Amino acid sequence: MGGADHDRTLVMSVINVTPDSFSDGGHWLDPVAAVQHGLELLQQGADILDVGGESTRPGAVRVDPVTEIERVVPVVRELSERGAVVSVDTMRAQVAEACIRVGAQLVNDVSGGLADAAMLPLIARHEVDYVAMHWRGHARTMQQQASYSNVVADVFAELSRRRDAALAAGVQLDRLILDPGLGFAKRAEHNWQLLAALPHLMELGPRILVGASRKAFLGELLNRREPATRDDASLAVTCHCAQRRVWAVRAHTAQPHADAVRVMARLAAGGQ
């Protein structure tokens, strides 16, 4: 992948191969179902498929690495062989390496390399794209760390340290992507402030990924608590990101977001 130029924001669609993810846990735990879902997402316009075998929702309990590998590797292998650009959503270098070996082109690490000291050297060695998210701790305790003097300034500073750590480990700048980590150690108002500050966050240098899909801060705004009722609100955030030329958005569906980013790109081009 590398830092290839695109004329629009990309759509990274989620495939949770888990029993306990906040939005669709258990739906795609069977590898055959997960692969079929991935192929449908591709047909609907997804650019990247993000396969995860461990839930990172607030309060989630970690799975062991063997279980995580057993969940994700067959799905990553099959989708990669079908020609998909596949990302693996993991904090573990062991899992990341297993997936890279069967075709994953991107590692989406919600810990930004903090959960596993072997992760950044692994990424540098294999020269794959890498998402480093803003992170302050594992799912069971992260919401206890949602305290900021200024959330935009603090996240900017903490992400800059993850950027510098990745570069120091040998990760190339054009392989690096940063994610402000909406919903991770953030209260609702923090997420809105970070979305408003996207142009400032883009000054960090690497590409930016935003994952807002179905998250609780959208439900809180709309008085709708169920994740499945938040898709229209999620789409509005995608339009906001596309207007600001964010590299990619992470979403639970594909077609509405794929349509939206194409419309936004055409408008940005003055209708040409």
Side-chain angles (χ1 to χ4, degrees):
M1 290 179 65
D5 291 330
H6 296 277
D7 61 359
R8 59 170 174 80
T9 293
L10 301 182
V11 176
M12 174 189 282
S13 291
V14 180
I15 304 175
N16 287 318
V17 192
T18 61
D20 57 345
S21 291
F22 83 95
S23 173
D24 54 3
H27 290 188
W28 320 115
L29 186 59
D30 175 69
V32 174
V35 169
Q36 183 58 40
H37 182 52
L39 296 175
E40 291 169 357
L41 291 168
L42 288 177
Q43 292 175 348
Q44 295 166 12
D47 299 292
I48 304 165
L49 301 178
D50 192 37
V51 180
E54 179 179 44
S55 175
T56 53
R57 63 178 173 78
V61 177
R62 300 210 69 188
V63 300
D64 64 89
V66 173
T67 298
E68 190 180 352
I69 287 172
E70 289 174 347
R71 288 176 179 176
V72 297
V73 164
V75 180
V76 171
R77 178 190 289 113
E78 181 70 18
L79 289 172
S80 298
E81 289 177 352
R82 299 287 193 101
V85 176
V86 181
S87 164
V88 58
D89 179 0
T90 185
M91 291 181 274
R92 291 184 168 112
Q94 177 183 353
V95 178
E97 184 161 31
C99 290
I100 291 167
R101 292 190 183 282
V102 297
Q105 298 181 44
L106 188 153
V107 175
N108 181 12
D109 178 2
V110 300
S111 82
L114 291 169
D116 187 340
M119 181 67 86
L120 294 179
L122 172 81
I123 298 301
R125 186 166 66 252
H126 284 282
E127 297 185 337
V128 294
D129 282 22
Y130 178 69
V131 177
M133 196 191 79
H134 176 262
W135 187 79
R136 285 186 164 183
H138 287 289
R140 295 190 71 178
T141 61
M142 66 181 178
Q143 291 310 106
Q144 299 170 21
Q145 301 179 61
S147 178
Y148 301 89
S149 57
N150 179 306
V151 69
V152 173
D154 291 351
V155 168
F156 189 98
E158 291 169 35
L159 275 178
S160 70
R161 290 196 284 273
R162 301 321 305 152
R163 174 200 62 198
D164 294 347
L167 296 176
V171 179
Q172 297 299 308
L173 184 63
D174 67 353
R175 292 289 187 182
L176 188 58
I177 300 144
L178 300 178
D179 180 342
L182 302 183
F184 288 78
K186 314 285 190 312
R187 294 193 296 271
E189 63 270 22
H190 297 144
N191 299 314
W192 293 114
Q193 290 167 36
L194 288 166
L195 284 171
L198 285 175
H200 178 53
L201 295 176
M202 292 169 75
E203 294 173 8
L204 284 161
R207 293 166 286 168
I208 295 292
L209 169 70
V210 172
S213 182
R214 297 181 177 175
K215 289 190 173 176
F217 76 100
L218 298 174
E220 184 173 316
L221 175 71
L222 303 171
N223 295 318
R224 292 203 294 269
R225 297 293 175 177
E226 293 302 315
T229 69
R230 304 169 191 163
D231 282 344
D232 291 342
S234 303
L235 187 60
V237 177
T238 287
C239 292
H240 173 78
C241 292
Q243 189 174 41
R244 285 147 187 83
R245 302 302 300 270
V246 165
W247 173 72
V249 293
R250 186 176 183 272
H252 289 86
T253 60
Q255 185 169 309
H257 299 272
D259 291 351
V261 297
R262 286 168 171 81
V263 169
M264 298 302 293
R266 188 64 178 264
L267 290 171
Q272 300 301 313

